[in-house]
Amino acid sequence: MSVIIVITTISVVFCLIFGLLRLYLATRLRLRKPEGVDTPFVEVLVPVRGASVCLDKVVHSLLEQIYPNFKISFVVEDEHDPALPFLQSACNHQPHGTVLIAGHAESGAQKNHNLSFASTFLSPETQIVVTCDANSIAAPYWLDSLTLPIRIGQ
């Protein structure tokens, strides 16, 4: 019995140390971003269907990204989508958000149709396009971290 407790204790301590080390390194790497890196305009296309339980967290996490030049386009199938009122309200209070209504997909998946439809409304200034699922809660530096390899030419 004591062997199991010792092994469990060692495993827990190892996981804690490893987790703290990863957190420390991730924070340190984020703070050591190369100097003079451009921040081109980025558009994030998010196909949405229905009002999930976490939709408010997802929407706010995307609209409140710590990145200077971006737009989030939430795309729904039609005006009857339960998420539409919330999305419109959230985007009315944030300069980075917009809502598009794609219409019903005649062929193929609705999600693909929504993304294709949204791509026809990209701003001329857009240099990077990102797609994101409507159930992904983004960390504040998600967009910056995601686009950094492209921005530094890797």
PDB file of all heavy atoms in Angstrom, residues 38-61:
ATOM      1  N   ASP A  38       5.979  43.236 -37.808  1.00  0.00           N
ATOM      2  CA  ASP A  38       4.742  43.848 -38.289  1.00  0.00           C
ATOM      3  C   ASP A  38       3.523  43.131 -37.713  1.00  0.00           C
ATOM      4  O   ASP A  38       3.589  41.951 -37.366  1.00  0.00           O
ATOM      5  CB  ASP A  38       4.669  43.779 -39.815  1.00  0.00           C
ATOM      6  CG  ASP A  38       5.659  44.712 -40.480  1.00  0.00           C
ATOM      7  OD1 ASP A  38       6.058  45.708 -39.833  1.00  0.00           O
ATOM      8  OD2 ASP A  38       6.028  44.450 -41.632  1.00  0.00           O
ATOM      9  N   THR A  39       2.429  43.863 -37.642  1.00  0.00           N
ATOM     10  CA  THR A  39       1.162  43.274 -37.224  1.00  0.00           C
ATOM     11  C   THR A  39       0.134  43.538 -38.328  1.00  0.00           C
ATOM     12  O   THR A  39      -0.691  44.451 -38.225  1.00  0.00           O
ATOM     13  CB  THR A  39       0.679  43.863 -35.884  1.00  0.00           C
ATOM     14  OG1 THR A  39       0.663  45.286 -35.981  1.00  0.00           O
ATOM     15  CG2 THR A  39       1.564  43.430 -34.737  1.00  0.00           C
ATOM     16  N   PRO A  40       0.185  42.734 -39.399  1.00  0.00           N
ATOM     17  CA  PRO A  40      -0.737  42.948 -40.519  1.00  0.00           C
ATOM     18  C   PRO A  40      -2.182  42.675 -40.107  1.00  0.00           C
ATOM     19  O   PRO A  40      -2.436  42.000 -39.106  1.00  0.00           O
ATOM     20  CB  PRO A  40      -0.262  41.945 -41.568  1.00  0.00           C
ATOM     21  CG  PRO A  40       0.391  40.868 -40.779  1.00  0.00           C
ATOM     22  CD  PRO A  40       1.019  41.557 -39.602  1.00  0.00           C
ATOM     23  N   PHE A  41      -3.094  43.188 -40.901  1.00  0.00           N
ATOM     24  CA  PHE A  41      -4.522  43.007 -40.633  1.00  0.00           C
ATOM     25  C   PHE A  41      -4.888  41.535 -40.791  1.00  0.00           C
ATOM     26  O   PHE A  41      -4.587  40.906 -41.798  1.00  0.00           O
ATOM     27  CB  PHE A  41      -5.349  43.866 -41.578  1.00  0.00           C
ATOM     28  CG  PHE A  41      -6.792  43.960 -41.187  1.00  0.00           C
ATOM     29  CD1 PHE A  41      -7.187  44.798 -40.153  1.00  0.00           C
ATOM     30  CD2 PHE A  41      -7.753  43.208 -41.832  1.00  0.00           C
ATOM     31  CE1 PHE A  41      -8.525  44.888 -39.779  1.00  0.00           C
ATOM     32  CE2 PHE A  41      -9.089  43.293 -41.464  1.00  0.00           C
ATOM     33  CZ  PHE A  41      -9.471  44.132 -40.446  1.00  0.00           C
ATOM     34  N   VAL A  42      -5.551  40.992 -39.774  1.00  0.00           N
ATOM     35  CA  VAL A  42      -5.948  39.584 -39.743  1.00  0.00           C
ATOM     36  C   VAL A  42      -7.468  39.506 -39.637  1.00  0.00           C
ATOM     37  O   VAL A  42      -8.076  40.225 -38.847  1.00  0.00           O
ATOM     38  CB  VAL A  42      -5.315  38.852 -38.532  1.00  0.00           C
ATOM     39  CG1 VAL A  42      -5.774  37.406 -38.463  1.00  0.00           C
ATOM     40  CG2 VAL A  42      -3.798  38.933 -38.581  1.00  0.00           C
ATOM     41  N   GLU A  43      -8.061  38.633 -40.438  1.00  0.00           N
ATOM     42  CA  GLU A  43      -9.497  38.368 -40.304  1.00  0.00           C
ATOM     43  C   GLU A  43      -9.694  36.935 -39.851  1.00  0.00           C
ATOM     44  O   GLU A  43      -9.073  36.014 -40.380  1.00  0.00           O
ATOM     45  CB  GLU A  43     -10.230  38.597 -41.630  1.00  0.00           C
ATOM     46  CG  GLU A  43     -10.451  40.070 -41.902  1.00  0.00           C
ATOM     47  CD  GLU A  43     -11.552  40.334 -42.904  1.00  0.00           C
ATOM     48  OE1 GLU A  43     -12.674  39.805 -42.730  1.00  0.00           O
ATOM     49  OE2 GLU A  43     -11.276  41.083 -43.851  1.00  0.00           O
ATOM     50  N   VAL A  44     -10.565  36.781 -38.867  1.00  0.00           N
ATOM     51  CA  VAL A  44     -10.901  35.464 -38.327  1.00  0.00           C
ATOM     52  C   VAL A  44     -12.344  35.157 -38.734  1.00  0.00           C
ATOM     53  O   VAL A  44     -13.252  35.938 -38.446  1.00  0.00           O
ATOM     54  CB  VAL A  44     -10.762  35.426 -36.786  1.00  0.00           C
ATOM     55  CG1 VAL A  44     -11.091  34.040 -36.253  1.00  0.00           C
ATOM     56  CG2 VAL A  44      -9.366  35.863 -36.363  1.00  0.00           C
ATOM     57  N   LEU A  45     -12.532  34.039 -39.417  1.00  0.00           N
ATOM     58  CA  LEU A  45     -13.864  33.618 -39.857  1.00  0.00           C
ATOM     59  C   LEU A  45     -14.350  32.498 -38.934  1.00  0.00           C
ATOM     60  O   LEU A  45     -13.667  31.488 -38.774  1.00  0.00           O
ATOM     61  CB  LEU A  45     -13.808  33.120 -41.302  1.00  0.00           C
ATOM     62  CG  LEU A  45     -13.150  34.055 -42.316  1.00  0.00           C
ATOM     63  CD1 LEU A  45     -13.150  33.424 -43.705  1.00  0.00           C
ATOM     64  CD2 LEU A  45     -13.814  35.415 -42.324  1.00  0.00           C
ATOM     65  N   VAL A  46     -15.532  32.715 -38.345  1.00  0.00           N
ATOM     66  CA  VAL A  46     -16.054  31.770 -37.354  1.00  0.00           C
ATOM     67  C   VAL A  46     -17.466  31.343 -37.760  1.00  0.00           C
ATOM     68  O   VAL A  46     -18.430  32.099 -37.569  1.00  0.00           O
ATOM     69  CB  VAL A  46     -16.095  32.407 -35.938  1.00  0.00           C
ATOM     70  CG1 VAL A  46     -16.509  31.370 -34.905  1.00  0.00           C
ATOM     71  CG2 VAL A  46     -14.774  33.045 -35.584  1.00  0.00           C
ATOM     72  N   PRO A  47     -17.621  30.144 -38.336  1.00  0.00           N
ATOM     73  CA  PRO A  47     -18.974  29.659 -38.624  1.00  0.00           C
ATOM     74  C   PRO A  47     -19.669  29.263 -37.323  1.00  0.00           C
ATOM     75  O   PRO A  47     -19.083  28.592 -36.478  1.00  0.00           O
ATOM     76  CB  PRO A  47     -18.725  28.443 -39.525  1.00  0.00           C
ATOM     77  CG  PRO A  47     -17.334  28.011 -39.229  1.00  0.00           C
ATOM     78  CD  PRO A  47     -16.581  29.224 -38.756  1.00  0.00           C
ATOM     79  N   VAL A  48     -20.900  29.728 -37.170  1.00  0.00           N
ATOM     80  CA  VAL A  48     -21.640  29.482 -35.924  1.00  0.00           C
ATOM     81  C   VAL A  48     -22.982  28.841 -36.259  1.00  0.00           C
ATOM     82  O   VAL A  48     -23.661  29.258 -37.201  1.00  0.00           O
ATOM     83  CB  VAL A  48     -21.881  30.807 -35.146  1.00  0.00           C
ATOM     84  CG1 VAL A  48     -22.668  30.548 -33.869  1.00  0.00           C
ATOM     85  CG2 VAL A  48     -20.575  31.514 -34.861  1.00  0.00           C
ATOM     86  N   ARG A  49     -23.354  27.859 -35.451  1.00  0.00           N
ATOM     87  CA  ARG A  49     -24.677  27.252 -35.597  1.00  0.00           C
ATOM     88  C   ARG A  49     -25.236  27.015 -34.203  1.00  0.00           C
ATOM     89  O   ARG A  49     -24.702  26.241 -33.426  1.00  0.00           O
ATOM     90  CB  ARG A  49     -24.592  25.936 -36.347  1.00  0.00           C
ATOM     91  CG  ARG A  49     -25.958  25.277 -36.458  1.00  0.00           C
ATOM     92  CD  ARG A  49     -25.893  24.011 -37.257  1.00  0.00           C
ATOM     93  NE  ARG A  49     -26.977  24.057 -38.226  1.00  0.00           N
ATOM     94  CZ  ARG A  49     -27.053  23.321 -39.286  1.00  0.00           C
ATOM     95  NH1 ARG A  49     -26.093  22.472 -39.564  1.00  0.00           N
ATOM     96  NH2 ARG A  49     -28.083  23.406 -40.087  1.00  0.00           N
ATOM     97  N   GLY A  50     -26.288  27.730 -33.861  1.00  0.00           N
ATOM     98  CA  GLY A  50     -26.925  27.559 -32.563  1.00  0.00           C
ATOM     99  C   GLY A  50     -26.185  28.281 -31.449  1.00  0.00           C
ATOM    100  O   GLY A  50     -25.038  28.685 -31.591  1.00  0.00           O
ATOM    101  N   ALA A  51     -26.882  28.467 -30.348  1.00  0.00           N
ATOM    102  CA  ALA A  51     -26.327  29.170 -29.192  1.00  0.00           C
ATOM    103  C   ALA A  51     -25.892  28.143 -28.157  1.00  0.00           C
ATOM    104  O   ALA A  51     -26.681  27.702 -27.336  1.00  0.00           O
ATOM    105  CB  ALA A  51     -27.363  30.121 -28.608  1.00  0.00           C
ATOM    106  N   SER A  52     -24.626  27.765 -28.196  1.00  0.00           N
ATOM    107  CA  SER A  52     -24.119  26.794 -27.232  1.00  0.00           C
ATOM    108  C   SER A  52     -23.974  27.445 -25.861  1.00  0.00           C
ATOM    109  O   SER A  52     -24.018  28.665 -25.719  1.00  0.00           O
ATOM    110  CB  SER A  52     -22.774  26.236 -27.695  1.00  0.00           C
ATOM    111  OG  SER A  52     -21.791  27.248 -27.632  1.00  0.00           O
ATOM    112  N   VAL A  53     -23.758  26.622 -24.869  1.00  0.00           N
ATOM    113  CA  VAL A  53     -23.617  27.093 -23.490  1.00  0.00           C
ATOM    114  C   VAL A  53     -22.414  28.024 -23.346  1.00  0.00           C
ATOM    115  O   VAL A  53     -22.466  28.999 -22.598  1.00  0.00           O
ATOM    116  CB  VAL A  53     -23.466  25.880 -22.535  1.00  0.00           C
ATOM    117  CG1 VAL A  53     -23.240  26.332 -21.111  1.00  0.00           C
ATOM    118  CG2 VAL A  53     -24.669  24.985 -22.638  1.00  0.00           C
ATOM    119  N   CYS A  54     -21.349  27.738 -24.082  1.00  0.00           N
ATOM    120  CA  CYS A  54     -20.130  28.535 -23.939  1.00  0.00           C
ATOM    121  C   CYS A  54     -19.993  29.627 -24.996  1.00  0.00           C
ATOM    122  O   CYS A  54     -18.933  30.249 -25.106  1.00  0.00           O
ATOM    123  CB  CYS A  54     -18.910  27.619 -23.958  1.00  0.00           C
ATOM    124  SG  CYS A  54     -18.656  26.775 -25.523  1.00  0.00           S
ATOM    125  N   LEU A  55     -21.037  29.897 -25.766  1.00  0.00           N
ATOM    126  CA  LEU A  55     -20.932  30.868 -26.861  1.00  0.00           C
ATOM    127  C   LEU A  55     -20.483  32.247 -26.386  1.00  0.00           C
ATOM    128  O   LEU A  55     -19.656  32.891 -27.028  1.00  0.00           O
ATOM    129  CB  LEU A  55     -22.259  30.979 -27.619  1.00  0.00           C
ATOM    130  CG  LEU A  55     -22.226  31.883 -28.851  1.00  0.00           C
ATOM    131  CD1 LEU A  55     -21.283  31.323 -29.910  1.00  0.00           C
ATOM    132  CD2 LEU A  55     -23.622  32.055 -29.423  1.00  0.00           C
ATOM    133  N   ASP A  56     -20.987  32.708 -25.245  1.00  0.00           N
ATOM    134  CA  ASP A  56     -20.587  34.033 -24.758  1.00  0.00           C
ATOM    135  C   ASP A  56     -19.094  34.087 -24.466  1.00  0.00           C
ATOM    136  O   ASP A  56     -18.419  35.061 -24.803  1.00  0.00           O
ATOM    137  CB  ASP A  56     -21.409  34.450 -23.539  1.00  0.00           C
ATOM    138  CG  ASP A  56     -21.239  33.511 -22.350  1.00  0.00           C
ATOM    139  OD1 ASP A  56     -20.974  32.313 -22.566  1.00  0.00           O
ATOM    140  OD2 ASP A  56     -21.372  33.988 -21.209  1.00  0.00           O
ATOM    141  N   LYS A  57     -18.547  33.028 -23.867  1.00  0.00           N
ATOM    142  CA  LYS A  57     -17.108  32.996 -23.573  1.00  0.00           C
ATOM    143  C   LYS A  57     -16.291  32.955 -24.860  1.00  0.00           C
ATOM    144  O   LYS A  57     -15.267  33.624 -24.977  1.00  0.00           O
ATOM    145  CB  LYS A  57     -16.771  31.790 -22.698  1.00  0.00           C
ATOM    146  CG  LYS A  57     -17.309  31.897 -21.295  1.00  0.00           C
ATOM    147  CD  LYS A  57     -16.975  30.671 -20.488  1.00  0.00           C
ATOM    148  CE  LYS A  57     -17.610  30.788 -19.115  1.00  0.00           C
ATOM    149  NZ  LYS A  57     -17.430  29.582 -18.318  1.00  0.00           N
ATOM    150  N   VAL A  58     -16.741  32.166 -25.824  1.00  0.00           N
ATOM    151  CA  VAL A  58     -16.046  32.065 -27.103  1.00  0.00           C
ATOM    152  C   VAL A  58     -16.026  33.421 -27.799  1.00  0.00           C
ATOM    153  O   VAL A  58     -14.974  33.908 -28.220  1.00  0.00           O
ATOM    154  CB  VAL A  58     -16.712  31.008 -28.017  1.00  0.00           C
ATOM    155  CG1 VAL A  58     -16.153  31.067 -29.426  1.00  0.00           C
ATOM    156  CG2 VAL A  58     -16.559  29.616 -27.430  1.00  0.00           C
ATOM    157  N   VAL A  59     -17.177  34.040 -27.913  1.00  0.00           N
ATOM    158  CA  VAL A  59     -17.297  35.314 -28.627  1.00  0.00           C
ATOM    159  C   VAL A  59     -16.447  36.397 -27.969  1.00  0.00           C
ATOM    160  O   VAL A  59     -15.679  37.089 -28.638  1.00  0.00           O
ATOM    161  CB  VAL A  59     -18.777  35.744 -28.725  1.00  0.00           C
ATOM    162  CG1 VAL A  59     -18.911  37.170 -29.222  1.00  0.00           C
ATOM    163  CG2 VAL A  59     -19.539  34.780 -29.629  1.00  0.00           C
ATOM    164  N   HIS A  60     -16.547  36.526 -26.665  1.00  0.00           N
ATOM    165  CA  HIS A  60     -15.777  37.566 -25.980  1.00  0.00           C
ATOM    166  C   HIS A  60     -14.277  37.276 -26.026  1.00  0.00           C
ATOM    167  O   HIS A  60     -13.472  38.198 -26.146  1.00  0.00           O
ATOM    168  CB  HIS A  60     -16.274  37.765 -24.550  1.00  0.00           C
ATOM    169  CG  HIS A  60     -17.598  38.453 -24.526  1.00  0.00           C
ATOM    170  ND1 HIS A  60     -18.760  37.796 -24.227  1.00  0.00           N
ATOM    171  CD2 HIS A  60     -17.947  39.725 -24.804  1.00  0.00           C
ATOM    172  CE1 HIS A  60     -19.774  38.641 -24.318  1.00  0.00           C
ATOM    173  NE2 HIS A  60     -19.308  39.812 -24.673  1.00  0.00           N
ATOM    174  N   SER A  61     -13.897  35.998 -25.961  1.00  0.00           N
ATOM    175  CA  SER A  61     -12.462  35.670 -26.031  1.00  0.00           C
ATOM    176  C   SER A  61     -11.895  36.038 -27.397  1.00  0.00           C
ATOM    177  O   SER A  61     -10.735  36.439 -27.499  1.00  0.00           O
ATOM    178  CB  SER A  61     -12.223  34.189 -25.730  1.00  0.00           C
ATOM    179  OG  SER A  61     -12.608  33.354 -26.804  1.00  0.00           O
TER     180      SER A  61
END
